[in-house]
């Protein structure tokens, strides 16, 4: 559109009518092929509810696990706050004139989880102790002035004027900046405390009259030691005017404080140590509440759970990242499995099963577990299952109920077996319940050598130890709400009565045996006859099984039968695919990224990422139309340990000339001009940045190759 006019003017052109772009919601990605045959929106809704439940439960668990430590930390801060307010004589006894109360919070190496702990601490402080709680990180405190600036800005809520900047006289009152000094902080604090006393002289508040200033150093080890030393020295001069309290977040060991701060500085701190629970205990609690339970409908296969646990143990020890992996598995399951709409509460699952479409019924018939179920039925039943959709829906509802009963029996028996074997020497079935759970998911646990050795050790337990362990199992079975668990509990109660009856009988039997032995030994005999008598007595004792041993074997046989009946792998249950996510390879690829492999794939096969038809080539070849870095990478693979830059440049220029379509017989073909030289230098710089080559002092015009082979 163009307009010619002698005078200037304003012209309005209506835009061409365009189709309004459809906004795609998250639930639309769960719908396959534009048809809602797989209950895409319902699956998304169920997935979202379970996702929110995971988040809520993990936050509650985190608060419960840290409650004891945080309560102790709050008491520590309140103690020094009260002392500062009273200005009593015991103030000097609690800390010397220049000492700063410091809490050394040892949280462990699971750094990604520390944010949740510090957030909980900050919230508790602001609720019950002080509104002046500031969190600091090393990356934002590269110098002392930056550290002071962050503290003042977050406390005072205004900008801070650094020395190299001058205040603009045109600033409004709200935009005024204060000088970056501890003296300015003192003046501000006195003003705030006075206002607080004037506003509420007679009112009782949960906050103290002179609230302390709590400075939380989240990653203490990452701070520059020199900056910390100077900051502590400055603060110690003002401790009588400012109620400062430090909290050091330590990931490694409390000795880090002595390593980073000299004695002249650390002596200015009144340090008290606070230890959090280990990350393995956190993980055990999360697995106990979210995975080893029948209340949570979504399940993980043994291999998937092993991937998540391996990443936790060998990479970061982060429970937070473990939960994110669990959420990723949840999302993948509901996105890739159309029948996951049945992975929900019992009432909703039966409702969706009753309304399955013909396409969904066909998907059920294609499930491996359902195919095995059909093969085990009578011929007439097989015909019904393969031809009648309504019959499949009815059977599907029954199978979902059976699957729920299987889980209600599986988890109590699993906990009982773990209780029995977790204290055995060398832990034949694992020390943590997750190890036993993974073994039960993958194979018949009673067919393993570890199970046999565990049962042999259990048959050697003393009476007191056995009875106490069985009572723990009885408490677990009480939580079960099935006929099988109630029946097992009744059997255990009978054995407890029998064990108590043994206490009275064992003493009488022991007296009779001793009397018989004494009579045998009192008979006058020679040395040979005495030896023979002793051997007969020993043989008689070894062959005779005591009543306790009989009861012990019977009680353990009850548990052995329960294990063989209820701890069978979930793959044997029809429709287990509805609840279990088993694609461990997909999860490993998402969570265990291999950047070098991805980079080499992109450089060797640029079509894989760029999807440009001109980049399609045979295996081992790179198109001359590929990006410069791909061409340079392919050429460097043909060189040895040292690469001559001039030879590399000439080879690159030849390929670049072919890409430009120049005649191979012309003089311009393969000639290095300024543009090609600049492109080559950029490609080599990028390869050096990625770690494929580096400069070397052996030869000035060469670079050293750092990797070998491609993907």
């Amino acid at each position: 559109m163009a307009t010619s006019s002698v005078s200037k003017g304003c012209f309005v052109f209506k835009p061409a009518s365009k189709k309004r772009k459809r906004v795609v919601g998250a639930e639309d990605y769960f719908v396959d092929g534009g048809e809602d045959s797989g209950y895409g929106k319902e699956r998304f809704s169920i997935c979202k509810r379970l996702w929110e439940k995971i988040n809520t439960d993990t936050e509650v668990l985190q608060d419960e696990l840290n409650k004891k430590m945080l309560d102790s930390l709050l008491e520590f801060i309140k103690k020094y706050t009260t002392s500062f307010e009273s200005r009593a004589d015991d103030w000097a006894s609690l800390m010397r004139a220049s000492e700063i109360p410091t809490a050394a919070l040892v949280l462990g190496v699971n750094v990604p989880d520390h944010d949740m702990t510090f957030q909980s601490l900050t919230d508790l402080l602001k609720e019950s102790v002080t509104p002046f709680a500031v969190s600091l990180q090393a990356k934002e405190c590269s110098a002392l002035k930056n550290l002071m600036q962050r503290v003042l800005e977050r406390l005072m809520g205004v900008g801070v004027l650094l020395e190299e900047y001058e205040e603009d006289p045109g600033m409004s009152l709200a935009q005024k900046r204060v000088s970056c000094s501890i003296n300015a902080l003192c003046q501000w604090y006195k003003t705030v405390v006075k206002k607080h006393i004037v506003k509420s002289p007679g009112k009782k508040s949960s906050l103290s009259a002179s609230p302390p200033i709590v400075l939380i150093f989240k990653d203490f080890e990452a701070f520059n030691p020199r900056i910390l030393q100077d900051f502590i020295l400055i603060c110690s001069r003002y401790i009588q005017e400012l109620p400062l309290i430090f909290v050091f977040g330590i990931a490694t060991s409390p000795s880090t404080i002595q390593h980073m701060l000299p004695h002249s500085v650390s002596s200015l701190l009144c340090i008290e140590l606070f230890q959090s629970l280990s990350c393995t205990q956190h993980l055990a609690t999360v697995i106990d509440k979210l995975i080893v339970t029948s209340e949570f409908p979504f399940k993980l296969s043994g291999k998937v759970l092993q991937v998540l646990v391996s990443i936790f143990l060998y990479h970061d020890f982060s429970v937070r990242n473990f939960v994110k992996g669990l959420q990723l598995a949840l999302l993948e399951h509901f996105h890739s499995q159309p029948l996951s709409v049945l992975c929900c509460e019992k009432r909703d699952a039966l409702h969706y099963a009753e309304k399955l479409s013909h396409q969904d019924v066909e998907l059920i018939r294609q499930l491996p577990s359902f195919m095995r179920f059909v093969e085990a039925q009578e011929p007439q039943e097989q015909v019904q299952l393969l031809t009648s959709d309504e019959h499949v829906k009815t059977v599907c509802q029954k199978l979902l109920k059976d699957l729920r009963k299987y889980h209600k029996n599986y988890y109590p028996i699993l906990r009982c077996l773990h209780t029995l074997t977790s204290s055995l020497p060398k832990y034949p079935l694992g020390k943590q319940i997750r190890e036993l759970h993974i073994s039960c998911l993958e194979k018949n646990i009673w067919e393993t050598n570890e199970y046999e050795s565990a049962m042999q050790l259990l048959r050697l337990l003393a009476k007191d130890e056995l009875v106490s362990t069985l009572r723990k199992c009885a408490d677990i079975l009480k939580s079960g709400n099935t006929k099988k668990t109630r029946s097992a509990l009744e059997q255990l109660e009978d054995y407890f009565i029998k064990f108590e009856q043994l206490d009275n009988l064992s003493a009488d039997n022991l007296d009779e045996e001793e009397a018989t032995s004494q009579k045998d030994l009192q008979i006058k005999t020679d040395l040979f006859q005495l030896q023979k008598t002793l051997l007969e007595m020993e043989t008689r004792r070894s062959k005779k099984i005591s009543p306790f041993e009989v009861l012990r074997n019977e009680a353990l046989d009850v548990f052995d039968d329960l294990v063989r009946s209820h701890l069978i792998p979930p793959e044997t249950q029809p429709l287990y695919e509805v609840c279990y996510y088993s694609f461990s390879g997909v999860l490993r690829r998402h969570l265990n990224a291999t950047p070098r492999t991805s980079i080499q794939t992109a450089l060797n096969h640029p079509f894989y990422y760029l999807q440009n038809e001109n980049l399609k080539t045979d295996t081992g070849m790179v198109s001359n139309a590929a990006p410069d870095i791909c061409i340079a990478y392919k050429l460097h693979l043909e060189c040895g340990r040292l690469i001559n830059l001039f030879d590399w440049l000439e080879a690159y220029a030849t390929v670049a000339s072919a890409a430009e379509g120049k005649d191979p017989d012309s003089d311009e073909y393969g000639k290095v001009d300024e543009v090609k030289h600049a492109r080559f230098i950029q490609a080599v710089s990028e390869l050096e940045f990625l770690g494929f080559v580096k400069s070397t002092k052996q030869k000035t015009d060469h670079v050293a190759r750092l990797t070998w082979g491609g993907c």
Side-chain angles (χ1 to χ4, degrees):
M1 291 179 290
T3 302
S4 59
S5 176
V6 177
S7 61
K8 294 181 179 180
C10 179
F11 304 94
V12 178
F13 299 98
K14 292 184 179 180
S17 60
K18 294 182 180 179
K19 291 184 178 179
R20 190 173 182 180
K21 191 174 182 180
R22 180 171 170 262
V23 179
V24 180
E27 65 274 7
D28 295 325
Y29 290 99
F30 283 71
V31 181
D32 299 326
E35 299 179 1
D36 201 5
S37 59
Y39 290 99
K41 294 184 178 180
E42 288 81 0
R43 280 186 285 144
F44 174 76
S45 177
I46 297 170
C47 178
K48 189 177 179 181
R49 284 202 305 271
L50 293 177
W51 184 299
E52 292 171 352
K53 178 176 173 57
I54 291 175
N55 281 332
T56 304
D57 290 353
T58 49
E59 288 176 3
V60 171
L61 284 175
Q62 184 80 10
D63 292 340
E64 290 177 354
L65 292 172
N66 288 331
K67 186 177 187 303
K68 185 176 180 181
M69 178 194 67
L70 294 178
D71 289 346
S72 302
L73 190 56
L74 285 179
E75 289 300 321
F76 168 80
I77 295 174
K78 287 179 180 179
K79 177 180 68 173
Y80 284 104
T81 302
T82 306
S83 302
F84 187 84
E85 288 177 353
S86 62
R87 292 286 184 176
D89 295 336
D90 62 346
W91 171 253
S93 64
L94 286 171
M95 68 177 198
R96 294 190 300 274
S98 58
E99 270 189 341
I100 303 174
T102 303
L105 198 57
V106 183
L107 297 175
V109 295
N110 50 330
V111 178
D113 298 340
H114 294 181
D115 286 340
M116 295 176 64
T117 304
F118 285 123
Q119 185 60 47
S120 301
L121 174 61
T122 305
D123 294 341
L124 286 173
L125 287 173
K126 291 184 177 179
E127 286 176 7
S128 57
V129 181
T130 175
F132 309 132
V134 177
S135 296
L136 301 168
Q137 286 184 294
K139 63 182 181 181
E140 58 188 11
C141 303
S142 56
L144 180 60
K145 60 183 179 182
N146 299 120
L147 175 57
M148 294 291 298
Q149 184 182 16
R150 296 292 176 270
V151 172
L152 268 65
E153 283 181 348
R154 289 170 187 175
L155 283 174
M156 303 166 66
V158 297
V160 177
L161 183 65
L162 298 178
E163 293 179 0
E164 60 264 29
Y165 299 104
E166 294 184 359
E167 188 173 354
D168 186 2
M171 280 184 170
S172 63
L173 186 61
Q175 296 174 328
K176 288 285 183 182
R177 294 174 178 266
V178 297
S179 61
C180 184
S181 66
I182 197 77
N183 189 41
L185 181 60
C186 290
Q187 297 299 325
W188 169 83
Y189 181 77
K190 292 176 182 177
T191 305
V192 170
V193 170
K194 285 181 180 179
K195 287 182 179 179
H196 178 71
I197 295 174
V198 170
K199 282 184 178 180
S200 54
K203 292 183 180 179
K204 289 186 178 180
S205 174
S206 60
L207 302 178
S208 58
S210 299
I213 298 175
V214 181
L215 304 182
I216 303 172
F217 298 83
K218 287 186 175 181
D219 44 353
F220 178 76
E221 291 96 337
F223 276 85
N224 187 323
R226 189 63 193 171
I227 296 174
L228 278 177
Q229 294 170 26
D230 294 342
F231 184 72
I232 293 171
L233 288 170
I234 294 171
C235 291
S236 65
R237 302 292 180 88
Y238 291 85
I239 190 61
Q240 294 299 324
E241 301 179 43
L242 282 176
L244 290 170
I245 296 177
F246 292 162
V247 177
F248 292 161
I250 300 173
T252 53
S253 170
S255 61
T256 306
I257 298 176
Q258 280 71 33
H259 294 157
M260 294 182 63
L261 304 176
H263 178 71
S264 59
V265 177
S266 60
S267 61
L268 300 174
L269 304 176
C270 181
I271 301 175
E272 189 167 333
L273 185 64
F274 297 88
Q275 182 82 42
S276 70
L277 290 175
S278 66
C279 50
T280 52
Q281 291 175 297
H282 283 216
L283 178 68
T285 309
V286 169
I287 289 178
D288 187 68
K289 297 295 184 182
L290 295 181
I291 294 179
V292 189
T293 176
S294 59
E295 297 178 0
F296 199 66
F298 174 69
K299 309 293 179 186
L300 299 177
S301 69
K303 291 183 178 179
V304 171
L305 183 56
Q306 186 64 57
V307 168
L308 294 178
V309 172
S310 298
I311 292 174
F312 172 85
L313 293 176
Y314 299 113
H315 287 78
D316 53 14
F317 288 102
S318 172
V319 177
R320 184 180 180 184
N321 289 345
F322 178 88
V323 172
K324 286 182 178 179
L326 176 61
Q327 291 177 330
L328 177 61
L330 176 76
L331 183 63
E332 284 284 338
H333 177 68
F334 278 90
H335 179 263
S336 60
Q337 176 57 270
L339 295 174
S340 59
V341 69
L342 303 176
C343 180
C344 54
E345 298 297 328
K346 180 180 178 181
R347 184 179 61 183
D348 296 335
L350 297 178
H351 172 71
Y352 287 127
E354 188 179 357
K355 294 188 175 182
L356 290 175
S357 64
H358 173 71
Q359 184 178 355
D360 296 326
V361 172
E362 288 298 324
L363 290 175
I364 290 178
R365 292 187 177 121
Q366 294 171 12
L367 294 176
S369 62
F370 190 80
M371 293 169 67
R372 290 193 295 268
F373 171 77
V374 173
E375 291 172 358
Q377 304 303 311
E378 297 294 332
Q380 291 182 347
E381 181 68 14
Q382 290 181 0
V383 173
Q384 287 288 323
L385 291 171
L386 296 175
T387 57
S388 173
D389 289 356
E390 294 300 323
H391 186 64
V392 170
K393 294 178 185 178
T394 304
V395 172
C396 180
Q397 295 180 44
K398 178 181 177 299
L399 294 178
L400 289 174
K401 293 178 182 178
D402 293 342
L403 184 62
R404 191 167 294 273
K405 289 179 183 177
Y406 162 78
H407 287 137
K408 286 188 174 181
N409 290 321
Y410 174 90
Y411 291 110
I413 305 303
L414 178 73
R415 293 180 186 276
C416 288
L417 182 60
H418 173 68
T419 302
L420 286 169
T421 59
S422 60
S423 58
L424 294 177
K426 296 185 179 180
Y427 311 107
L429 292 180
K431 187 177 181 180
Q432 301 288 343
I433 194 172
R434 64 170 183 267
E435 302 171 68
L436 178 60
H437 181 47
I438 291 173
S439 299
C440 293
L441 289 175
E442 294 179 343
K443 53 185 174 292
N444 293 330
I445 190 66
W446 60 88
E447 296 177 355
T448 61
N449 296 329
E450 292 81 4
Y451 180 80
E452 290 296 330
S453 63
M455 294 304 294
Q456 290 176 4
L457 291 172
L458 287 173
R459 296 182 193 279
L460 299 176
L461 288 179
K463 180 184 174 183
D464 295 340
E465 190 175 1
L466 177 66
V467 172
S468 64
T469 307
L470 292 179
R471 290 197 181 279
K472 293 178 183 177
C473 295
D475 294 336
I476 295 172
L477 292 174
K478 287 178 183 177
S479 62
N481 194 20
T482 62
K483 293 181 180 179
K484 299 290 185 181
T485 55
R486 287 195 292 268
S487 175
L489 180 60
E490 291 175 1
Q491 288 181 290
L492 272 185
E493 296 291 347
D494 293 339
Y495 281 112
F496 291 145
I497 297 173
K498 293 178 181 179
F499 280 125
E500 290 177 0
Q501 293 173 351
L502 275 180
D503 292 336
N504 301 326
L505 297 175
S506 59
D508 298 337
N509 293 337
L510 184 60
D511 293 339
E512 292 178 3
E513 288 181 5
E514 288 181 355
T516 306
S517 301
Q518 291 291 335
K519 288 179 181 179
D520 292 339
L521 292 174
Q522 287 173 1
I523 298 174
K524 190 175 182 180
T525 181
D526 56 4
L527 183 61
F528 176 77
Q529 191 65 30
L530 177 61
Q531 184 180 8
K532 184 179 178 181
T533 304
L534 290 173
L535 288 173
E536 288 177 355
M537 289 169 55
E538 186 66 28
T539 305
R540 190 163 59 244
R541 285 179 182 176
S542 61
K543 288 184 178 179
K544 187 178 179 181
I545 300 177
S546 67
F548 164 68
E549 291 174 338
V550 174
L551 280 178
R552 180 177 60 189
N553 292 338
E554 290 178 0
L556 293 176
D557 287 340
V558 170
F559 275 102
D560 185 52
D561 293 338
L562 290 172
V563 168
R564 295 173 185 269
S565 302
H566 301 297
L567 292 190
I568 53 180
E571 283 83 356
T572 59
Q573 304 299 311
L575 301 185
Y576 86 94
E577 295 94 342
V578 168
C579 298
Y580 282 83
Y581 179 73
S582 55
F583 296 100
S584 58
V586 176
L587 201 65
R588 189 188 299 275
R589 190 165 61 249
H590 283 303
L591 298 178
N592 241 355
T594 52
R596 180 181 170 184
T597 304
S598 302
I599 291 171
Q600 287 181 325
T601 301
L603 296 177
N604 265 319
H605 311 287
F607 175 77
Y608 183 81
Y609 289 101
L610 299 180
Q611 297 295 314
N612 186 348
E613 294 295 330
N614 295 330
L615 300 179
K616 274 189 175 181
T617 57
D618 298 332
T619 305
M621 303 291 291
V622 173
S623 170
N624 53 19
D628 295 333
I629 188 174
C630 298
I631 297 172
Y633 173 79
K634 185 63 180 176
L635 292 173
H636 109 287
L637 292 178
E638 301 171 0
C639 303
R641 189 178 67 86
L642 293 178
I643 306 174
N644 188 305
L645 283 171
F646 183 75
D647 296 340
W648 195 5
L649 172 60
E650 285 193 329
Y652 167 79
T654 302
V655 177
S657 298
E660 294 171 358
K662 293 183 179 179
D663 185 8
D665 298 329
S666 65
D667 296 337
E668 297 294 327
Y669 189 82
K671 185 177 180 181
V672 179
D673 54 19
E674 292 182 356
V675 176
K676 291 177 184 172
H677 188 267
R679 289 166 55 188
F680 173 75
I681 292 300
Q682 182 179 2
V684 173
S685 300
E686 291 171 350
L687 289 176
E688 184 177 7
F689 175 75
L690 294 174
F692 289 98
V693 296
K694 72 169 185 176
S695 58
T696 176
K697 295 182 180 180
Q698 295 181 2
K699 294 183 179 180
T700 56
D701 57 344
H702 285 63
V703 292
R705 185 176 170 188
L706 297 177
T707 61
W708 298 96
C711 61

